[in-house]
Amino acid sequence: MQEVWGYQPCLWKMILVGVGAVCSGGLLLLLLYWLPEWGVKGTCTHTSLRDAQTLLLRTTVGKWKTCFLFFIQFTCLTLFDLFLLYVVPSRKIIHYFTHHSTKYFWNDVMQNFEFYKMLFFGENEIAVRVPSLFKLLIKEVLNPFYIFQLFSVILWSAEDYYYYATAIVFMSVISIATSLYTIKKQYVMLHDMVAAHSVLRVSVCRGNKDIEQAMSTELVPGDVIIIPANGMIMPCDAVLIHGTCIVNESMLTGESVPVTKTNLPSSDEEAARSYDMEEHKRHTLFCGTQVIQTRFYAGELVKAVVVRTGFSTEKGQLVRSILYPKPTDFKLYRDAYLFLLCLVGVAGIGFIYTIVLSIMNKILVFHVSVDIFLLDLIQVPAKTIIIESLDIITITVPPALPAAMTAGIVYAQRRLKRVGIFCISPQRINMCGQLNLVCFDKTGTLTEDGLDMWAIQRAEDGSFSPPESDAAKESLVNSTFVVGMATCHSLTKIEGELSGDPLDLKMFSATGWILEEPTEEETALHNPIMPTVVRPPKHNVPEANQNNPLTQNMSCEIGIVRQFPFSSALQRMSVVVRKLGEKHMDAYLKGAPEVVASLCKQHTVPQSFTETLETYTRQGFRVIALAHRQLESKLSWHKVQNLSRDLIETNMEFLGLIIMQNKIKEETAGVLRELRQANIRTLMVTGDNMLTAISVARNCGMVRAHERVIIADAVPPKDLNPASITWHYTENPSQTIKDNQVGQKASEPLMYDKQVTLQEQSYHFAVSGRAFAVITEHFPQLVQKLVLRATVFARMAPDQKTQLVEVMQSIDYTVGMCGDGANDCGALKRAHSGISLSELEASVASPFTSSTSNISCVPNLIREGRAALITSFCVFKFMALYSIIQYLSVTLLYSILSNLGDFQFLFIDIAIILIIAFTMSLNPAWKELVWRRPPSSLISGPLLCSVLTQILTCLVFQVLAFLLVRQQSWYEMWTPQSDACNVSSSSFSHSLNVTTPHDHKNIRNYENTTLFYVSSFQYLAVAIVFSKGKPFRQPSYKNCKTHLVLLAQMLFCCSASTQIVCVPHDWRVTLVIIVIVNAAVSFMLEVANDCWGSSFLSWLFCQRNKPPKVRYMHLALELQDDADWPPKPYSVTCAREPQSHISAPL
């Protein structure tokens, strides 16, 4: 959803903001930079869009709101050039702004559009500007975390605490440098990919002028361009008006299959309709696709009209989706900010407490104390009070938190690199740990490229013959079935090699026949429709024909007179052929078996057709049917060219079945099984056709043997008929799905968290790209219901793949995408986690790239993601406890006007905290994917319960130690002459001539020493308690580095003499007991929270039977009680009323 408002600058508001910025030392400007919506409202007044000088655009994606600020630009047009001799020169002002590489003009001033169309469309260029390092640096360092770190470093420097400040600066510099390198590299890679073929010379026909050469950047819609015979990379979207082109559209579809593009029809019903990009796709050449070869006749040039340029093209929209992806919402990061806000609130309380305490003690001493030493000690300068009050903020909100959180991600990134997975967006690793749905491309991802011929099964006299594996054997060479295989295809020769659909290639090569195409000279001399000829190899021609000189080169040659290309809507293709020497022509039909059988004479279709077909489809084979018809002798060559396909494709004779298999990769089935066992849903999103996709889905286990597939075939409204969906069942449903659901309900308890009913339902939807577009537009209420159980998405365009990912995210799925083609780029970028199996275009958009070309990388990525996510939770909890523990220690010491010493802070911050934060992240991932997923939220009951119980435990033991030490018999206010270690000599007979340094900060005292020891061991205890292992990470006892660090730190804590005072042996034993009991209580509370925390909280807040929060689970429970879902076989769902949509995408 997008909203836009207009504003005009307001002088008095701008003056107020300026004064506020000066008074706040620039902090107000930073705040307005982070919140542009506040910035506009604070400096401007609302006005109409027409009069606006500033625009505020707000985009809402789910719960994520993004605001954009634009300044209206003006351009002046001088009309003198156009009307030089007729009118007085005048000027017109056009208002426009640019958003995501697209210009938007105010529509009431668009005069003389044709003449000034270059101004409105801009240059035909997909320009990826690589920002300078300085610009990227400024944007990076203005991040709130880095601003807070800068504030902390300045504060610590004022306290002469240089060591830790230097460490923080060093880590920040490394982090910023790494981030800048990654961002710059991505921009450069995308720029190089787009710029490779973006600018070239083209031949243009404008008006009645001759053909002229121009740069592709000068093209505008309406220009007519010449497609050269040797092909080109298309610089724009254009529709063919003359000639034919063979195009490689792998950049868009992911299928490396040359596609034949024909010119727009100039007659019949189709020619009367207005041009539509989707409807006339087979006549359109898309930007970025490669024209391999053109066909032109008798000197006519192949021409196309430019329809879209720049970022408006298919390729431009793909690049825009990479450059400006919609923000990916991840609960962990949102909750982290909320958690930090809570810590800021705690810090605010400490800030006020410190100031009030300092002032009250100062007043109290002035009125009561007469001790000169105490007066000197307590009369703290105002500067010190302010610094210590601000210091409590840096204690509560640890500046090292981003570095500590990044450590686990960096280690996971290194482990991924070892298994051949490279990452350019490390923050996405955490998202991988929450994936519960993975979309897979098909070709090159789940399967090897193309299909393999398994067998043919001919139909004779109303029954099937046994399957035959060799279609090229001599006994079949002249059979009608093999002739159909050799002619009914769309193959062509490119540079002497056959090229076309992989299915057609395999089918044709299985016959052993040879294809010959007319040369350019033959076409020009004889006939503009000179046919393609196929013939069997010479050694396969029967001997009688070989010995007859009259028929040696003619009797077996067959010319393909006309081709009706494959239509996904009709699910068939056909050809009209003529055997050399024959007086009549023949028609051959190939397509989906059910469709072909319906167009054949009933007596020619075997009675066992349905059972045979079901047997093959259950085994995962792709089955194609062939049919034949002998046409009337009176049909001439030219009459055939004007016949509609409906007149040809009727009264056919059924010939039999071609059985193909699409070999899946060896690893595919095992990986999909592992993901299913781990409660991760899988689905297929491919540019290939529907039947192939369903076959592969069954073969690899994505759709299991007992599960039905329901094809949702949607058609848009036409004439007075509304849009409709027809529900086709691929198998004969002998038992309704609702019966299966009732059986499941009776045998399985309803479990919200385990999703049993969702996973075990026995049907899947299959949707084509065309149907998906119709359903999205005309049946919006069915979209979420459909995608909940849809497993196969076929013939999906690149933008539809991205749209599907967004729909899945809208029902609270955490979506992964795995693909290998440029057509997957948008979806790879939009998904929570995209992994590319190619190092070409897809790797530019994908956060992850695998060096292995199979999907075995997906479980590895999810395992490491889960380990990294758990590590992030552990580190976040540890850092939160670290700040609270230190906050408690400092607060208690402030009550006696004391504090921790600089070296004590240094020891805690570097020797304990940073080392533990970095080493506790070293636990590698668990070896297998388990059924449950890690938690996704920091603001959840069990996690908050864990943190709060540990905070209370630390508070209790610190207060206990603080009070106990003051109750000891040897306790007194510490002075440099105190000697509590030797209690017997308590007379304290000190020499008067001994001078000792005076401790103005009151660091060295018994309370400080006690709290320092107790808190140091509390850090170690919570580090051990929070360092979780199985089932997402390897057990902590296998992390040797952490153990060595903890042991060294314990020994150092026991022997440390950093700004501490000597205490009696008995008190040391007491401290050890306090520390051990503290650790034991912390451990038991954490174990109890892991085992019973969720159940206890559910019981406490009466949430045991609360419905699930995620939308897809809630929707699944609703559909279980819907008696009309899924729709019955062959039922039709019609749109309630025609809907009109007016959209102006920004």
Side-chain angles (χ1 to χ4, degrees):
M1 184 178 69
Q2 293 178 330
E3 300 169 280
V4 63
W5 298 274
Y7 290 89
Q8 280 187 338
C10 177
L11 182 61
W12 67 267
K13 286 187 177 182
M14 295 175 71
I15 293 174
L16 283 180
V17 169
V19 173
V22 172
C23 295
S24 63
L27 290 178
L28 180 60
L29 294 181
L30 274 177
L31 183 65
L32 298 182
Y33 170 79
W34 293 329
L35 301 169
E37 187 171 359
W38 291 15
V40 174
K41 293 179 179 179
T43 58
C44 302
T45 54
H46 189 271
T47 186
S48 65
L49 290 177
R50 179 187 179 89
D51 301 323
Q53 295 183 32
T54 303
L55 292 182
L56 181 67
L57 172 69
R58 184 168 66 193
T59 302
T60 305
V61 182
K63 301 175 183 176
W64 193 281
K65 292 185 179 180
T66 307
C67 291
F68 301 94
L69 174 64
F70 303 102
F71 296 101
I72 297 296
Q73 295 174 275
F74 306 92
T75 184
C76 297
L77 301 182
T78 302
L79 302 183
F80 182 72
D81 295 332
L82 183 61
F83 303 114
L84 183 62
L85 301 176
Y86 306 99
V87 297
V88 178
S90 61
R91 298 178 68 85
K92 298 289 183 180
I93 297 178
I94 295 179
H95 298 225
Y96 71 94
F97 71 96
T98 304
H99 175 49
H100 287 177
S101 301
T102 302
K103 286 184 179 179
Y104 296 90
F105 294 86
W106 190 246
N107 60 7
D108 63 353
V109 293
M110 280 186 163
Q111 298 179 5
N112 301 302
F113 184 81
E114 290 299 322
F115 184 78
Y116 288 102
K117 57 189 174 183
M118 268 292 293
L119 170 70
F120 296 101
F121 291 110
E123 287 191 339
N124 175 33
E125 183 182 12
I126 303 173
V128 178
R129 312 294 181 194
V130 180
S132 65
L133 276 175
F134 179 76
K135 188 175 181 180
L136 291 175
L137 176 65
I138 295 299
K139 188 175 182 180
E140 187 73 15
V141 298
L142 289 180
N143 184 289
F145 269 119
Y146 290 124
I147 296 296
F148 179 68
Q149 286 182 340
L150 178 63
F151 162 76
S152 302
V153 167
I154 293 172
L155 184 64
W156 294 332
S157 299
E159 294 183 282
D160 298 331
Y161 187 37
Y162 298 115
Y163 303 100
Y164 192 55
T166 304
I168 292 296
V169 169
F170 177 76
M171 288 187 294
S172 299
V173 168
I174 295 296
S175 176
I176 290 173
T178 305
S179 178
L180 290 182
Y181 172 78
T182 303
I183 295 172
K184 184 83 171 180
K185 183 180 177 182
Q186 285 181 272
Y187 269 110
V188 170
M189 288 175 63
L190 184 59
H191 175 270
D192 293 344
M193 182 194 81
V194 172
H197 303 286
S198 59
V199 181
L200 63 154
R201 281 199 166 274
V202 291
S203 300
V204 186
C205 301
R206 285 179 175 148
N208 296 323
K209 297 179 182 178
D210 296 332
I211 297 173
E212 61 183 45
Q213 295 295 311
M215 299 303 296
S216 59
T217 53
E218 299 172 8
L219 293 176
V220 292
D223 282 345
V224 178
I225 60 174
I226 309 300
I227 310 297
N230 58 350
M232 65 188 295
I233 301 290
M234 288 300 297
C236 58
D237 288 352
V239 59
L240 274 173
I241 56 173
H242 290 298
T244 305
C245 292
I246 299 169
V247 185
N248 183 349
E249 291 190 329
S250 60
M251 197 278 297
L252 295 178
T253 65
E255 309 293 326
S256 299
V257 177
V259 179
T260 300
K261 300 281 187 174
T262 58
N263 59 281
L264 277 174
S266 56
S267 59
D268 72 31
E269 204 176 288
E270 189 177 358
R273 292 201 292 268
S274 299
Y275 172 76
D276 178 80
M277 185 73 72
E278 186 64 31
E279 186 178 348
H280 297 95
K281 186 176 287 187
R282 58 196 175 99
H283 310 297
T284 306
L285 306 173
F286 294 104
C287 180
T289 59
Q290 182 179 10
V291 178
I292 304 171
Q293 186 175 302
T294 62
R295 300 266 182 86
F296 55 93
Y297 306 109
E300 284 194 22
L301 297 176
V302 177
K303 296 180 181 179
V305 176
V306 177
V307 291
R308 294 193 301 191
T309 58
F311 279 98
S312 300
T313 63
E314 287 286 317
K315 182 180 179 181
Q317 291 174 13
L318 183 61
V319 174
R320 282 184 69 192
S321 69
I322 298 172
L323 275 175
Y324 313 107
K326 293 181 181 177
T328 302
D329 188 14
F330 191 49
K331 197 168 179 58
L332 171 65
Y333 300 135
R334 284 192 285 113
D335 289 351
Y337 282 107
L338 289 176
F339 204 95
L340 287 175
L341 284 176
C342 294
L343 292 180
V344 169
V346 174
I349 295 172
F351 176 79
I352 297 171
Y353 163 80
T354 305
I355 294 177
V356 171
L357 187 66
S358 299
I359 294 174
M360 287 182 63
N361 277 320
K362 199 169 184 179
I363 294 172
L364 180 66
V365 169
F366 270 116
H367 284 81
V368 177
S369 180
V370 293
D371 191 319
I372 298 175
F373 172 71
L374 272 179
L375 269 175
D376 186 49
L377 175 68
I378 295 176
Q379 285 184 5
V380 184
K383 175 186 174 183
T384 305
I385 294 175
I386 294 173
I387 289 177
E388 289 186 349
S389 302
L390 292 174
D391 195 35
I392 203 80
I393 298 176
T394 65
I395 290 172
T396 314
V397 185
L401 179 61
M405 291 281 286
T406 304
I409 297 174
V410 171
Y411 294 142
Q413 189 176 3
R414 288 170 55 188
R415 290 193 293 268
L416 286 171
K417 191 173 181 180
R418 291 193 201 110
V419 295
I421 301 174
F422 302 92
C423 176
I424 61 173
S425 182
Q427 295 301 325
R428 297 287 183 110
I429 296 178
N430 273 339
M431 295 186 182
C432 297
Q434 273 296 306
L435 293 183
N436 52 13
L437 182 147
V438 182
C439 305
F440 291 98
D441 183 33
K442 182 186 73 67
T443 307
T445 303
L446 298 175
T447 68
E448 305 289 352
D449 290 326
L451 294 163
D452 289 320
M453 173 70 72
W454 185 77
I456 63 172
Q457 191 161 14
R458 294 182 294 153
E460 295 179 344
D461 301 325
S463 62
F464 280 115
S465 302
E468 299 169 279
S469 59
D470 185 10
K473 60 184 179 181
E474 191 172 335
S475 60
L476 295 177
V477 69
N478 268 343
S479 65
T480 309
F481 191 95
V482 171
V483 171
M485 291 174 63
T487 57
C488 195
H489 53 71
S490 56
L491 299 179
T492 186
K493 276 195 170 182
I494 299 174
E495 296 181 356
E497 290 190 6
L498 276 179
S499 185
D501 189 282
L503 185 148
D504 289 345
L505 280 170
K506 290 289 182 182
M507 181 183 71
F508 183 77
S509 62
T511 65
W513 284 45
I514 298 170
L515 181 141
E516 294 179 350
E517 289 186 329
T519 63
E520 184 179 328
E521 292 78 11
E522 290 174 329
T523 303
L525 290 174
H526 296 91
N527 196 302
I529 49 175
M530 186 78 175
T532 298
V533 174
V534 294
R535 59 180 177 81
K538 189 174 182 181
H539 66 275
N540 278 347
V541 179
E543 292 183 9
N545 289 336
Q546 290 185 19
N547 296 330
N548 187 343
L550 295 176
T551 62
Q552 186 174 3
N553 296 319
M554 311 190 325
S555 60
C556 293
E557 290 189 358
I558 300 175
I560 302 174
V561 177
R562 188 171 182 196
Q563 221 180 64
F564 295 99
F566 177 80
S567 166
S568 56
L570 301 175
Q571 296 186 343
R572 64 183 187 264
M573 76 160 292
S574 59
V575 292
V576 176
V577 303
R578 183 173 183 177
K579 194 172 183 179
L580 209 56
E582 295 285 350
K583 294 183 179 180
H584 63 82
M585 298 184 189
D586 296 274
Y588 288 93
L589 175 69
K590 177 188 72 176
E594 300 91 343
V595 174
V596 172
S598 68
L599 298 172
C600 292
K601 299 173 182 175
Q602 195 60 39
H603 69 275
T604 64
V605 181
Q607 292 184 352
S608 60
F609 169 79
T610 303
E611 294 78 6
T612 303
L613 178 61
E614 185 175 344
T615 301
Y616 287 127
T617 55
R618 280 185 179 275
Q619 296 176 37
F621 288 109
R622 168 75 190 278
V623 183
I624 304 295
L626 268 182
H628 165 259
R629 175 189 171 191
Q630 181 175 313
L631 300 178
E632 296 80 2
S633 302
K634 63 181 180 180
L635 281 178
S636 66
W637 197 307
H638 291 281
K639 284 183 180 178
V640 167
Q641 303 303 318
N642 297 318
L643 283 178
S644 69
R645 68 187 302 167
D646 292 335
L647 296 175
I648 300 290
E649 298 169 348
T650 185
N651 291 324
M652 311 291 286
E653 294 181 2
F654 190 80
L655 294 180
L657 304 174
I658 304 169
I659 301 105
M660 317 282 288
Q661 65 180 54
N662 194 186
K663 286 185 178 179
I664 65 171
K665 295 181 179 179
E666 293 181 4
E667 302 82 4
T668 297
V671 169
L672 295 179
R673 190 183 314 112
E674 184 180 4
L675 294 176
R676 184 170 62 248
Q677 291 170 351
N679 192 29
I680 297 172
R681 181 183 165 194
T682 58
L683 53 87
M684 183 191 304
V685 190
T686 177
D688 207 345
N689 68 66
M690 176 68 77
L691 295 178
T692 302
I694 294 175
S695 171
V696 171
R698 287 196 178 279
N699 207 19
C700 67
M702 195 174 283
V703 176
R704 287 175 281 184
H706 66 280
E707 296 173 329
R708 296 178 175 87
V709 176
I710 306 171
I711 299 177
D713 185 15
V715 293
K718 187 177 181 181
D719 299 330
L720 297 177
N721 299 320
S724 62
I725 309 173
T726 305
W727 308 92
H728 300 285
Y729 281 56
T730 57
E731 298 174 10
N732 183 24
S734 57
Q735 182 183 10
T736 65
I737 290 175
K738 190 54 63 178
D739 292 338
N740 290 338
Q741 290 180 344
V742 171
Q744 287 176 4
K745 289 181 185 177
S747 61
E748 298 177 357
L750 188 61
M751 303 177 71
Y752 298 130
D753 57 339
K754 292 191 176 181
Q755 307 176 352
V756 171
T757 52
L758 177 62
Q759 295 293 335
E760 295 298 325
Q761 292 177 12
S762 58
Y763 67 93
H764 298 262
F765 288 113
V767 186
S768 67
R770 177 170 174 264
F772 184 73
V774 172
I775 294 170
T776 303
E777 182 178 359
H778 299 283
F779 300 88
Q781 74 281 4
L782 292 182
V783 173
Q784 293 187 353
K785 289 184 180 181
L786 195 64
V787 300
L788 186 69
R789 288 299 299 163
T791 301
V792 177
F793 292 87
R795 295 297 185 196
M796 296 288 279
D799 59 323
Q800 288 180 320
K801 291 186 178 185
T802 307
Q803 188 180 0
L804 174 63
V805 170
E806 292 172 358
V807 171
M808 291 298 185
Q809 289 173 337
S810 71
I811 55 175
D812 294 337
Y813 274 112
T814 306
V815 183
M817 175 72 195
C818 183
D820 67 336
N823 62 315
D824 301 315
C825 287
L828 288 168
K829 190 80 172 179
R830 182 68 186 99
H832 291 100
S833 173
I835 180 165
S836 167
L837 304 185
S838 165
E839 297 184 6
L840 301 176
E841 293 96 338
S843 64
V844 177
S846 176
F848 303 95
T849 302
S850 174
S851 59
T852 56
S853 59
N854 59 68
I855 64 171
S856 61
C857 57
V858 175
N860 290 333
L861 182 60
I862 296 175
R863 275 194 293 270
E864 289 296 343
R866 290 183 173 185
L869 185 57
I870 285 295
T871 298
S872 295
F873 277 108
C874 294
V875 171
F876 197 96
K877 288 164 64 177
F878 171 70
M879 295 298 289
L881 259 295
Y882 144 65
S883 62
I884 294 297
I885 290 171
Q886 196 170 83
Y887 174 82
L888 295 174
S889 301
V890 171
T891 305
L892 288 172
L893 290 175
Y894 275 5
S895 67
I896 61 168
L897 296 182
S898 180
N899 199 353
L900 293 173
D902 288 349
F903 284 100
Q904 289 175 331
F905 275 122
L906 187 66
F907 173 75
I908 292 171
D909 292 340
I910 294 182
I912 295 181
I913 303 305
L914 283 185
I915 294 178
I916 288 179
F918 289 133
T919 55
M920 73 186 298
S921 304
L922 290 172
N923 291 35
W926 186 244
K927 56 188 175 183
E928 62 184 28
L929 281 177
V930 295
W931 197 86
R932 65 188 180 95
R933 290 186 300 276
S936 61
S937 174
L938 282 169
I939 314 297
S940 62
L943 190 141
L944 289 177
C945 185
S946 169
V947 171
L948 290 175
T949 52
Q950 296 300 327
I951 290 175
L952 289 174
T953 302
C954 294
L955 173 63
V956 167
F957 281 95
Q958 281 202 39
V959 172
L960 177 65
F962 182 79
L963 296 177
L964 277 178
V965 72
R966 299 170 70 92
Q967 302 299 320
Q968 300 304 306
S969 58
W970 46 263
Y971 174 80
E972 65 174 358
M973 183 169 290
W974 187 88
T975 64
Q977 291 78 30
S978 299
D979 188 12
C981 291
N982 189 5
V983 180
S984 60
S985 59
S986 57
S987 58
F988 300 115
S989 54
H990 304 294
S991 175
L992 294 176
N993 61 351
V994 176
T995 58
T996 56
H998 191 69
D999 185 8
H1000 289 279
K1001 294 185 178 181
N1002 192 23
I1003 301 299
R1004 296 169 64 87
N1005 55 62
Y1006 298 118
E1007 292 91 339
N1008 172 287
T1009 299
T1010 298
L1011 289 180
F1012 174 72
Y1013 275 125
V1014 172
S1015 63
S1016 294
F1017 280 99
Q1018 283 180 338
Y1019 299 132
L1020 304 181
V1022 295
I1024 296 172
V1025 166
F1026 286 154
S1027 188
K1028 302 290 178 66
K1030 187 178 177 181
F1032 304 114
R1033 301 198 306 168
Q1034 294 286 351
S1036 297
Y1037 60 78
K1038 291 187 177 182
N1039 190 347
C1040 301
K1041 293 180 182 178
T1042 301
H1043 290 164
L1044 293 174
V1045 167
L1046 290 173
L1047 181 61
Q1049 289 172 341
M1050 287 179 184
L1051 294 174
F1052 190 84
C1053 288
C1054 293
S1055 61
S1057 59
T1058 307
Q1059 294 179 305
I1060 61 176
V1061 298
C1062 189
V1063 295
H1065 182 270
D1066 292 344
W1067 182 241
R1068 298 178 193 179
V1069 174
T1070 303
L1071 287 179
V1072 171
I1073 294 172
I1074 290 175
V1075 166
I1076 293 174
V1077 174
N1078 185 349
V1081 171
S1082 295
F1083 180 76
M1084 288 187 293
L1085 286 174
E1086 189 68 15
V1087 171
N1089 183 73
D1090 289 342
C1091 296
W1092 305 294
S1094 297
S1095 302
F1096 174 74
L1097 291 172
S1098 298
W1099 171 81
L1100 183 65
F1101 295 102
C1102 302
Q1103 293 182 339
R1104 186 172 295 275
N1105 295 319
K1106 187 178 178 181
K1109 293 182 180 179
V1110 289
R1111 296 181 194 173
Y1112 68 87
M1113 282 299 300
H1114 188 74
L1115 189 60
L1117 294 176
E1118 288 181 358
L1119 293 182
Q1120 276 191 319
D1121 299 325
D1122 189 347
D1124 297 325
W1125 192 265
K1128 300 297 184 289
Y1130 301 104
S1131 60
V1132 178
T1133 303
C1134 295
R1136 295 175 183 173
E1137 58 183 17
Q1139 299 180 14
S1140 60
H1141 297 271
I1142 301 174
S1143 60
L1146 293 179

